[in-house]
Amino acid sequence: MWRASVLTILPDVFPGPLGASLAGKALTSGAWALDVVDIRDFATDRHRSVDDTPAGGGPGMVMRPDVLGRAIDAAATDKRPRLLLSPRGAPLTQERVETLAHGPGLVLVCGRFEGIDERVIAARGLEEVSIGDYVLSGGEIAAMALIDACVRLLPGVMGAPASSAEESFAEGLLEYPHYTRPQLWEGRPIPEVLLSGDHAKIAAWRRSEAERLTRERRPDLWASRPRGA
Ligand code: JFB
């Protein structure tokens, strides 16, 4: 079974939103598993310290390698990828998410403070990944985002196997606009083509809207979109 093991000093925040909706039902029904490991359980001193002052001085605190090393050793004895959520990591992509969802699961290390001691990254083979170019206060929310992105791809977790969003993204396009009833809302109609019943015409309209939105909003995606073999 696909398993996510999350190492954190905030174990109470899990499963959080991962316990709701379809991902939560799939968790309850055993389609995937979540282990939450409290890093503090691997501290040895009276105060259960997990951090210390930075070598060389400077602001903030750094997560200790000894405590984190023991936590990783206890949580991860198998071959799952070990990822460290970090603002300096490689940006996460849908392609990477698909690869991770097809594997055995994940071991996710959530840091806090200014970061973690560099030596534990090397010694435990942690790969740094980022969920985007903005700064969070810790790895937990990033870990939830990554797990959510993977779990929704597991067989049987979501209803339909390929949503329009997936198909669009696979083609390097943003999604076309969606509408539902009422047909007229606050003076705004649904585009007439969608009411025509002409499925070829509807598909062509959606395609051209997806292309227009991608050109306008994400010239970066548009420039590098996959072109058929
Ligand atoms: C992840 C984190 C911090 C260093 C650390 C642990 N996309 C992302 N932005 N921020 C994070 C992230 C991911 N993934 C992230 C883990 C930690 C941020 N911090 C706070 C702030 C600045 N520099 C500690």
Side-chain angles (χ1 to χ4, degrees):
M1 190 191 345
W2 198 91
R3 178 178 298 269
S5 297
V6 181
L7 283 66
T8 172
I9 60 165
L10 300 175
D12 297 348
V13 308
F14 289 89
L18 299 169
S21 196
L22 292 172
K25 285 200 188 86
L27 182 57
T28 308
S29 72
W32 65 287
L34 177 66
D35 296 330
V36 182
V37 175
D38 186 350
I39 293 168
R40 215 173 278 286
D41 289 345
F42 297 86
T44 51
D45 63 316
R46 206 163 59 80
H47 300 288
R48 305 221 298 157
S49 320
V50 294
D51 60 332
D52 206 337
T53 54
M61 298 293 272
V62 176
M63 208 169 257
R64 290 167 52 149
D66 53 346
V67 178
L68 195 50
R70 282 192 293 272
I72 294 169
D73 293 344
T77 53
D78 55 4
K79 310 145 55 110
R80 287 174 292 166
R82 299 169 171 194
L83 305 184
L84 172 67
L85 287 312
S86 160
R88 68 179 198 190
L92 192 63
T93 62
Q94 186 64 21
E95 190 175 37
R96 186 74 199 282
V97 166
E98 280 161 23
T99 303
L100 294 172
H102 279 101
L106 297 171
V107 176
L108 298 179
V109 177
C110 300
R112 279 269 147 184
F113 319 112
E114 299 310 300
I116 78 173
D117 187 297
E118 192 70 24
R119 292 169 294 178
V120 79
I121 302 174
R124 293 299 179 273
L126 304 182
E127 185 193 344
E128 295 180 67
V129 299
S130 165
I131 64 159
D133 290 340
Y134 41 81
V135 183
L136 302 171
S137 52
E140 286 78 10
I141 288 173
M144 287 179 196
L146 172 51
I147 294 169
D148 182 76
C150 290
V151 164
R152 61 184 293 286
L153 299 181
L154 300 177
V157 171
M158 297 287 138
S163 77
S164 63
E166 238 87 57
E167 284 171 351
S168 269
F169 233 107
E171 291 200 73
L173 295 175
L174 301 181
E175 263 186 282
Y176 56 75
H178 302 288
Y179 299 88
T180 187
R181 285 172 291 211
Q183 228 179 93
L184 187 67
W185 178 72
E186 294 191 350
R188 298 163 188 264
I190 292 175
E192 212 168 273
V193 58
L194 299 177
L195 311 173
S196 68
D198 183 337
H199 296 295
K201 210 167 137 191
I202 291 168
W205 180 83
R206 285 176 169 167
R207 176 85 199 183
S208 88
E209 285 291 284
E211 292 180 354
R212 177 184 63 77
L213 288 168
T214 308
R215 274 193 311 268
E216 286 175 8
R217 297 183 183 181
R218 294 293 304 274
D220 58 323
L221 283 184
W222 180 252
S224 60
R225 72 195 183 286
R227 311 283 214 311

PDB file of all heavy atoms in Angstrom, residues 61-86:
ATOM      1  N   MET A  61      17.070  29.364  15.155  1.00  0.00           N
ATOM      2  CA  MET A  61      17.524  28.083  15.679  1.00  0.00           C
ATOM      3  C   MET A  61      17.601  27.083  14.526  1.00  0.00           C
ATOM      4  O   MET A  61      16.985  27.279  13.476  1.00  0.00           O
ATOM      5  CB  MET A  61      16.546  27.566  16.731  1.00  0.00           C
ATOM      6  CG  MET A  61      16.424  28.476  17.957  1.00  0.00           C
ATOM      7  SD  MET A  61      17.941  28.536  18.946  1.00  0.00           S
ATOM      8  CE  MET A  61      17.670  27.134  20.034  1.00  0.00           C
ATOM      9  N   VAL A  62      18.358  26.015  14.738  1.00  0.00           N
ATOM     10  CA  VAL A  62      18.567  24.987  13.717  1.00  0.00           C
ATOM     11  C   VAL A  62      18.163  23.639  14.304  1.00  0.00           C
ATOM     12  O   VAL A  62      18.442  23.362  15.472  1.00  0.00           O
ATOM     13  CB  VAL A  62      20.052  24.966  13.265  1.00  0.00           C
ATOM     14  CG1 VAL A  62      20.312  23.831  12.284  1.00  0.00           C
ATOM     15  CG2 VAL A  62      20.448  26.317  12.665  1.00  0.00           C
ATOM     16  N   MET A  63      17.531  22.794  13.503  1.00  0.00           N
ATOM     17  CA  MET A  63      17.120  21.482  13.983  1.00  0.00           C
ATOM     18  C   MET A  63      18.341  20.573  14.126  1.00  0.00           C
ATOM     19  O   MET A  63      19.177  20.504  13.216  1.00  0.00           O
ATOM     20  CB  MET A  63      16.092  20.891  13.024  1.00  0.00           C
ATOM     21  CG  MET A  63      15.149  19.938  13.704  1.00  0.00           C
ATOM     22  SD  MET A  63      13.780  19.509  12.641  1.00  0.00           S
ATOM     23  CE  MET A  63      12.521  20.495  13.339  1.00  0.00           C
ATOM     24  N   ARG A  64      18.422  19.898  15.255  1.00  0.00           N
ATOM     25  CA  ARG A  64      19.594  19.076  15.583  1.00  0.00           C
ATOM     26  C   ARG A  64      19.670  17.814  14.712  1.00  0.00           C
ATOM     27  O   ARG A  64      18.662  17.135  14.520  1.00  0.00           O
ATOM     28  CB  ARG A  64      19.529  18.639  17.043  1.00  0.00           C
ATOM     29  CG  ARG A  64      19.750  19.746  18.039  1.00  0.00           C
ATOM     30  CD  ARG A  64      19.360  19.298  19.429  1.00  0.00           C
ATOM     31  NE  ARG A  64      19.992  18.026  19.813  1.00  0.00           N
ATOM     32  CZ  ARG A  64      20.322  17.725  21.062  1.00  0.00           C
ATOM     33  NH1 ARG A  64      20.097  18.594  22.044  1.00  0.00           N
ATOM     34  NH2 ARG A  64      20.861  16.565  21.336  1.00  0.00           N
ATOM     35  N   PRO A  65      20.876  17.477  14.235  1.00  0.00           N
ATOM     36  CA  PRO A  65      21.013  16.293  13.379  1.00  0.00           C
ATOM     37  C   PRO A  65      20.840  14.974  14.143  1.00  0.00           C
ATOM     38  O   PRO A  65      20.345  13.995  13.579  1.00  0.00           O
ATOM     39  CB  PRO A  65      22.431  16.411  12.834  1.00  0.00           C
ATOM     40  CG  PRO A  65      23.172  17.218  13.846  1.00  0.00           C
ATOM     41  CD  PRO A  65      22.158  18.179  14.426  1.00  0.00           C
ATOM     42  N   ASP A  66      21.256  14.951  15.410  1.00  0.00           N
ATOM     43  CA  ASP A  66      21.199  13.680  16.153  1.00  0.00           C
ATOM     44  C   ASP A  66      19.752  13.237  16.376  1.00  0.00           C
ATOM     45  O   ASP A  66      19.388  12.081  16.109  1.00  0.00           O
ATOM     46  CB  ASP A  66      21.984  13.786  17.475  1.00  0.00           C
ATOM     47  CG  ASP A  66      21.579  14.977  18.337  1.00  0.00           C
ATOM     48  OD1 ASP A  66      20.890  15.894  17.830  1.00  0.00           O
ATOM     49  OD2 ASP A  66      21.938  14.996  19.521  1.00  0.00           O
ATOM     50  N   VAL A  67      18.904  14.177  16.795  1.00  0.00           N
ATOM     51  CA  VAL A  67      17.499  13.851  17.069  1.00  0.00           C
ATOM     52  C   VAL A  67      16.795  13.468  15.774  1.00  0.00           C
ATOM     53  O   VAL A  67      16.104  12.434  15.692  1.00  0.00           O
ATOM     54  CB  VAL A  67      16.786  15.049  17.750  1.00  0.00           C
ATOM     55  CG1 VAL A  67      15.316  14.729  17.986  1.00  0.00           C
ATOM     56  CG2 VAL A  67      17.490  15.426  19.053  1.00  0.00           C
ATOM     57  N   LEU A  68      16.990  14.289  14.737  1.00  0.00           N
ATOM     58  CA  LEU A  68      16.340  14.026  13.453  1.00  0.00           C
ATOM     59  C   LEU A  68      16.844  12.728  12.825  1.00  0.00           C
ATOM     60  O   LEU A  68      16.054  11.953  12.256  1.00  0.00           O
ATOM     61  CB  LEU A  68      16.578  15.219  12.516  1.00  0.00           C
ATOM     62  CG  LEU A  68      15.698  15.300  11.285  1.00  0.00           C
ATOM     63  CD1 LEU A  68      14.224  15.149  11.624  1.00  0.00           C
ATOM     64  CD2 LEU A  68      15.948  16.633  10.578  1.00  0.00           C
ATOM     65  N   GLY A  69      18.139  12.458  12.940  1.00  0.00           N
ATOM     66  CA  GLY A  69      18.712  11.214  12.418  1.00  0.00           C
ATOM     67  C   GLY A  69      18.054   9.990  13.036  1.00  0.00           C
ATOM     68  O   GLY A  69      17.692   9.040  12.327  1.00  0.00           O
ATOM     69  N   ARG A  70      17.853  10.014  14.350  1.00  0.00           N
ATOM     70  CA  ARG A  70      17.188   8.873  15.019  1.00  0.00           C
ATOM     71  C   ARG A  70      15.734   8.735  14.561  1.00  0.00           C
ATOM     72  O   ARG A  70      15.244   7.623  14.359  1.00  0.00           O
ATOM     73  CB  ARG A  70      17.235   9.057  16.547  1.00  0.00           C
ATOM     74  CG  ARG A  70      18.562   8.709  17.176  1.00  0.00           C
ATOM     75  CD  ARG A  70      18.463   8.625  18.703  1.00  0.00           C
ATOM     76  NE  ARG A  70      18.185   9.922  19.338  1.00  0.00           N
ATOM     77  CZ  ARG A  70      19.115  10.803  19.714  1.00  0.00           C
ATOM     78  NH1 ARG A  70      20.396  10.523  19.523  1.00  0.00           N
ATOM     79  NH2 ARG A  70      18.775  11.943  20.292  1.00  0.00           N
ATOM     80  N   ALA A  71      15.065   9.852  14.393  1.00  0.00           N
ATOM     81  CA  ALA A  71      13.661   9.815  13.942  1.00  0.00           C
ATOM     82  C   ALA A  71      13.564   9.204  12.547  1.00  0.00           C
ATOM     83  O   ALA A  71      12.697   8.362  12.280  1.00  0.00           O
ATOM     84  CB  ALA A  71      13.063  11.217  13.969  1.00  0.00           C
ATOM     85  N   ILE A  72      14.464   9.599  11.655  1.00  0.00           N
ATOM     86  CA  ILE A  72      14.458   9.064  10.282  1.00  0.00           C
ATOM     87  C   ILE A  72      14.761   7.561  10.317  1.00  0.00           C
ATOM     88  O   ILE A  72      14.095   6.771   9.646  1.00  0.00           O
ATOM     89  CB  ILE A  72      15.471   9.820   9.388  1.00  0.00           C
ATOM     90  CG1 ILE A  72      15.034  11.276   9.201  1.00  0.00           C
ATOM     91  CG2 ILE A  72      15.611   9.121   8.033  1.00  0.00           C
ATOM     92  CD1 ILE A  72      16.097  12.175   8.565  1.00  0.00           C
ATOM     93  N   ASP A  73      15.731   7.158  11.107  1.00  0.00           N
ATOM     94  CA  ASP A  73      16.102   5.737  11.185  1.00  0.00           C
ATOM     95  C   ASP A  73      14.946   4.884  11.683  1.00  0.00           C
ATOM     96  O   ASP A  73      14.764   3.743  11.255  1.00  0.00           O
ATOM     97  CB  ASP A  73      17.317   5.551  12.096  1.00  0.00           C
ATOM     98  CG  ASP A  73      18.564   6.182  11.506  1.00  0.00           C
ATOM     99  OD1 ASP A  73      18.568   6.481  10.297  1.00  0.00           O
ATOM    100  OD2 ASP A  73      19.532   6.394  12.269  1.00  0.00           O
ATOM    101  N   ALA A  74      14.143   5.435  12.588  1.00  0.00           N
ATOM    102  CA  ALA A  74      13.013   4.679  13.138  1.00  0.00           C
ATOM    103  C   ALA A  74      11.856   4.623  12.136  1.00  0.00           C
ATOM    104  O   ALA A  74      11.128   3.630  12.068  1.00  0.00           O
ATOM    105  CB  ALA A  74      12.546   5.324  14.443  1.00  0.00           C
ATOM    106  N   ALA A  75      11.690   5.689  11.342  1.00  0.00           N
ATOM    107  CA  ALA A  75      10.513   5.805  10.470  1.00  0.00           C
ATOM    108  C   ALA A  75      10.708   5.119   9.130  1.00  0.00           C
ATOM    109  O   ALA A  75       9.748   4.648   8.520  1.00  0.00           O
ATOM    110  CB  ALA A  75      10.181   7.276  10.238  1.00  0.00           C
ATOM    111  N   ALA A  76      11.936   5.065   8.660  1.00  0.00           N
ATOM    112  CA  ALA A  76      12.182   4.713   7.268  1.00  0.00           C
ATOM    113  C   ALA A  76      13.245   3.653   7.143  1.00  0.00           C
ATOM    114  O   ALA A  76      14.428   3.946   7.093  1.00  0.00           O
ATOM    115  CB  ALA A  76      12.600   5.973   6.500  1.00  0.00           C
ATOM    116  N   THR A  77      12.793   2.390   7.109  1.00  0.00           N
ATOM    117  CA  THR A  77      13.736   1.287   6.938  1.00  0.00           C
ATOM    118  C   THR A  77      13.588   0.691   5.543  1.00  0.00           C
ATOM    119  O   THR A  77      14.289  -0.259   5.195  1.00  0.00           O
ATOM    120  CB  THR A  77      13.483   0.203   8.001  1.00  0.00           C
ATOM    121  OG1 THR A  77      12.095  -0.163   7.946  1.00  0.00           O
ATOM    122  CG2 THR A  77      13.790   0.720   9.391  1.00  0.00           C
ATOM    123  N   ASP A  78      12.679   1.226   4.747  1.00  0.00           N
ATOM    124  CA  ASP A  78      12.406   0.697   3.404  1.00  0.00           C
ATOM    125  C   ASP A  78      13.027   1.605   2.331  1.00  0.00           C
ATOM    126  O   ASP A  78      13.839   2.464   2.636  1.00  0.00           O
ATOM    127  CB  ASP A  78      10.898   0.526   3.205  1.00  0.00           C
ATOM    128  CG  ASP A  78      10.143   1.827   3.461  1.00  0.00           C
ATOM    129  OD1 ASP A  78      10.801   2.862   3.710  1.00  0.00           O
ATOM    130  OD2 ASP A  78       8.907   1.816   3.398  1.00  0.00           O
ATOM    131  N   LYS A  79      12.620   1.400   1.066  1.00  0.00           N
ATOM    132  CA  LYS A  79      13.269   2.115  -0.039  1.00  0.00           C
ATOM    133  C   LYS A  79      12.474   3.318  -0.536  1.00  0.00           C
ATOM    134  O   LYS A  79      12.703   3.778  -1.646  1.00  0.00           O
ATOM    135  CB  LYS A  79      13.509   1.141  -1.207  1.00  0.00           C
ATOM    136  CG  LYS A  79      14.178  -0.157  -0.813  1.00  0.00           C
ATOM    137  CD  LYS A  79      13.681  -1.363  -1.635  1.00  0.00           C
ATOM    138  CE  LYS A  79      13.795  -1.196  -3.134  1.00  0.00           C
ATOM    139  NZ  LYS A  79      14.830  -2.055  -3.713  1.00  0.00           N
ATOM    140  N   ARG A  80      11.531   3.804   0.241  1.00  0.00           N
ATOM    141  CA  ARG A  80      10.776   4.978  -0.228  1.00  0.00           C
ATOM    142  C   ARG A  80      11.683   6.191  -0.365  1.00  0.00           C
ATOM    143  O   ARG A  80      12.626   6.354   0.424  1.00  0.00           O
ATOM    144  CB  ARG A  80       9.646   5.296   0.763  1.00  0.00           C
ATOM    145  CG  ARG A  80       8.483   4.326   0.712  1.00  0.00           C
ATOM    146  CD  ARG A  80       7.492   4.631   1.806  1.00  0.00           C
ATOM    147  NE  ARG A  80       8.048   4.358   3.122  1.00  0.00           N
ATOM    148  CZ  ARG A  80       7.515   4.765   4.261  1.00  0.00           C
ATOM    149  NH1 ARG A  80       6.401   5.486   4.249  1.00  0.00           N
ATOM    150  NH2 ARG A  80       8.077   4.455   5.411  1.00  0.00           N
ATOM    151  N   PRO A  81      11.384   7.067  -1.337  1.00  0.00           N
ATOM    152  CA  PRO A  81      12.131   8.323  -1.422  1.00  0.00           C
ATOM    153  C   PRO A  81      11.990   9.116  -0.123  1.00  0.00           C
ATOM    154  O   PRO A  81      10.912   9.165   0.470  1.00  0.00           O
ATOM    155  CB  PRO A  81      11.468   9.079  -2.577  1.00  0.00           C
ATOM    156  CG  PRO A  81      10.582   8.128  -3.278  1.00  0.00           C
ATOM    157  CD  PRO A  81      10.351   6.946  -2.383  1.00  0.00           C
ATOM    158  N   ARG A  82      13.107   9.711   0.300  1.00  0.00           N
ATOM    159  CA  ARG A  82      13.114  10.539   1.512  1.00  0.00           C
ATOM    160  C   ARG A  82      13.249  11.979   1.081  1.00  0.00           C
ATOM    161  O   ARG A  82      14.301  12.390   0.573  1.00  0.00           O
ATOM    162  CB  ARG A  82      14.318  10.175   2.373  1.00  0.00           C
ATOM    163  CG  ARG A  82      14.298   8.740   2.829  1.00  0.00           C
ATOM    164  CD  ARG A  82      15.650   8.389   3.432  1.00  0.00           C
ATOM    165  NE  ARG A  82      15.579   7.080   4.057  1.00  0.00           N
ATOM    166  CZ  ARG A  82      16.503   6.624   4.884  1.00  0.00           C
ATOM    167  NH1 ARG A  82      17.555   7.367   5.172  1.00  0.00           N
ATOM    168  NH2 ARG A  82      16.370   5.437   5.420  1.00  0.00           N
ATOM    169  N   LEU A  83      12.197  12.729   1.283  1.00  0.00           N
ATOM    170  CA  LEU A  83      12.191  14.110   0.824  1.00  0.00           C
ATOM    171  C   LEU A  83      12.185  15.068   2.010  1.00  0.00           C
ATOM    172  O   LEU A  83      11.532  14.816   3.021  1.00  0.00           O
ATOM    173  CB  LEU A  83      10.959  14.386  -0.052  1.00  0.00           C
ATOM    174  CG  LEU A  83      10.741  13.469  -1.255  1.00  0.00           C
ATOM    175  CD1 LEU A  83       9.543  13.945  -2.078  1.00  0.00           C
ATOM    176  CD2 LEU A  83      11.968  13.387  -2.134  1.00  0.00           C
ATOM    177  N   LEU A  84      12.904  16.159   1.834  1.00  0.00           N
ATOM    178  CA  LEU A  84      12.888  17.247   2.812  1.00  0.00           C
ATOM    179  C   LEU A  84      12.198  18.442   2.166  1.00  0.00           C
ATOM    180  O   LEU A  84      12.650  18.935   1.134  1.00  0.00           O
ATOM    181  CB  LEU A  84      14.326  17.624   3.196  1.00  0.00           C
ATOM    182  CG  LEU A  84      14.493  18.874   4.064  1.00  0.00           C
ATOM    183  CD1 LEU A  84      13.904  18.658   5.457  1.00  0.00           C
ATOM    184  CD2 LEU A  84      15.963  19.274   4.158  1.00  0.00           C
ATOM    185  N   LEU A  85      11.096  18.857   2.742  1.00  0.00           N
ATOM    186  CA  LEU A  85      10.423  20.063   2.244  1.00  0.00           C
ATOM    187  C   LEU A  85      11.284  21.272   2.603  1.00  0.00           C
ATOM    188  O   LEU A  85      11.665  21.424   3.769  1.00  0.00           O
ATOM    189  CB  LEU A  85       9.037  20.196   2.869  1.00  0.00           C
ATOM    190  CG  LEU A  85       7.933  19.246   2.395  1.00  0.00           C
ATOM    191  CD1 LEU A  85       7.884  19.182   0.880  1.00  0.00           C
ATOM    192  CD2 LEU A  85       8.052  17.864   2.986  1.00  0.00           C
ATOM    193  N   SER A  86      11.576  22.083   1.604  1.00  0.00           N
ATOM    194  CA  SER A  86      12.531  23.169   1.835  1.00  0.00           C
ATOM    195  C   SER A  86      12.366  24.249   0.784  1.00  0.00           C
ATOM    196  O   SER A  86      12.180  23.940  -0.398  1.00  0.00           O
ATOM    197  CB  SER A  86      13.943  22.594   1.763  1.00  0.00           C
ATOM    198  OG  SER A  86      14.895  23.608   1.516  1.00  0.00           O
TER     199      SER A  86
END
